[in-house]
Amino acid sequence: MSIENILTSWEKKSFKPVYWLEGDEEYYINLVVDYAEHKILTESEKSFNLTVFYGRDANWPDVVNACSRYPMFADKQVVLLKEAQHMKDLDKLENYIKHPLASTIFIVSHKEKKVDGKTRFGKFLKEKTEYVATKKMYDNQLPDWTSQLVQKKGFTISQKALMLVVEHIGNDLNRIESEIEKLSVNLGAKKNITEDDVERYVGISKEYNIFELQDAFGKRDLAKAIKIIQFFETNPRAFPMVMILPSLYNYFSKCFMVFSVTGKDEKGVAAALGISPYFIKDYLVSVKKFSFDGVERALLLLHEYNLKSIGINSSGTTDASLLKELAYKIIL
């Protein structure tokens, strides 16, 4: 069962006795847990029929005892086990899960990792619970996901503003939602989010960011690249090399892959590379400006300077100096 199916069934007051939610993507697990905690029961029912445990402090007998109680003044009770990955003897819940109480909705939130699916207990969970395993969203899915989130809140967003949010925040759905919520609160009657709004309310410079540096490299605009690097030099903690180089390497890797795609229509290339259509034009421009040899050389230089950034074949050179050298060698 998917997260969406669980929430849809709950809205229709259709419940299963045990839900097991695990995996790397906390955002979707939080959606289900928050709904269970705040919306399944009415306010008057919660005082008697909502029990919340945290794995680090919970003992399995207490959890089982809570699940085995009957609800008071309600048809259902909700028992939440949060952060179950920290609970000792988690497999001791097996006997209850085999024979759950129909009037109890037991929801287990097991974040950060999964129970080993090859073990007997792991196989048991998939068979006996409403089991959902979440995984991190791919980077190329983030623009569409963010755009849909904005639309659900009744807003639109410009392409550049969308790129700024996605490129700056990366694959952190909770933070993306938080920043979009901040924007929606601050915009008032205005319904379109622009790059100026992102700069003002999220704190992402529309001119000096990794996306714009990537764009400068891709368009072989040395003056722009150096200007951005100099800005990064004044705030190295916000723009560390360990964040900048992987972004550039990923960009040129995608450019390199363009050469192997048959058919050059934008949608076809975007689909083949796993790139959002929002971004594909930039990659095609870079491919024309660099050619195959230029892109290959850029990748080799990025590998070389990644080693230098960790002290290999480089003695005390600052990150900003390394980036400037890299820009000159790739762009010129």
Side-chain angles (χ1 to χ4, degrees), residues 9-10 18 30 42 46 52 70 72 96 101 107 119 129 141 146 157 162 175 190 214 246 276 308:
S9 66
W10 286 2
V18 183
N30 290 341
T42 66
K46 286 178 187 177
V52 180
Y70 287 94
M72 295 180 64
Y96 173 79
L101 203 63
I107 299 141
T119 64
T129 71
Q141 297 174 308
T146 305
I157 186 168
L162 179 68
R175 188 180 166 203
K190 184 181 175 184
Q214 178 180 286
S276 168
K308 287 186 176 184

Side-chain angles (χ1 to χ4, degrees), residues 255-325:
C255 290
F256 191 77
M257 292 168 64
V258 171
F259 294 104
S260 64
V261 177
T262 56
K264 297 300 180 183
D265 64 287
E266 291 183 6
K267 289 185 178 179
V269 176
L273 272 60
I275 296 172
S276 168
Y278 290 111
F279 301 104
I280 192 60
K281 287 183 180 179
D282 294 330
Y283 290 92
L284 296 179
V285 167
S286 296
V287 165
K288 289 180 181 179
K289 285 185 173 291
F290 278 88
S291 78
F292 181 88
D293 290 341
V295 172
E296 184 178 47
R297 182 170 178 273
L299 288 171
L300 292 172
L301 284 167
L302 282 161
H303 176 69
E304 176 187 340
Y305 276 78
N306 182 54
L307 294 176
K308 287 186 176 184
S309 72
I310 59 175
I312 299 176
N313 299 324
S314 177
S315 55
T317 308
T318 65
D319 287 353
S321 296
L322 288 175
L323 275 176
K324 289 173 186 176
E325 285 181 20

Side-chain angles (χ1 to χ4, degrees), residues 29-48:
I29 295 175
N30 290 341
L31 277 182
V32 174
V33 171
D34 289 346
Y35 190 105
E37 187 169 1
H38 300 291
K39 295 184 179 181
I40 289 180
L41 301 173
T42 66
E43 288 301 319
S44 60
E45 291 171 336
K46 286 178 187 177
S47 57
F48 293 106

Side-chain angles (χ1 to χ4, degrees), residues 143-144 146-147 150 156-167 192-195 198 211-212 215 219 266 275-283:
D144 286 338
T146 305
S147 181
V150 170
T156 58
I157 186 168
S158 72
Q159 182 174 334
K160 186 170 182 180
L162 179 68
M163 291 176 178
L164 285 175
V165 171
V166 169
E167 287 291 326
N192 182 55
I193 301 170
T194 67
E195 56 266 33
V198 172
F211 173 75
E212 289 297 328
D215 183 70
K219 292 178 179 176
E266 291 183 6
I275 296 172
S276 168
Y278 290 111
F279 301 104
I280 192 60
K281 287 183 180 179
D282 294 330
Y283 290 92

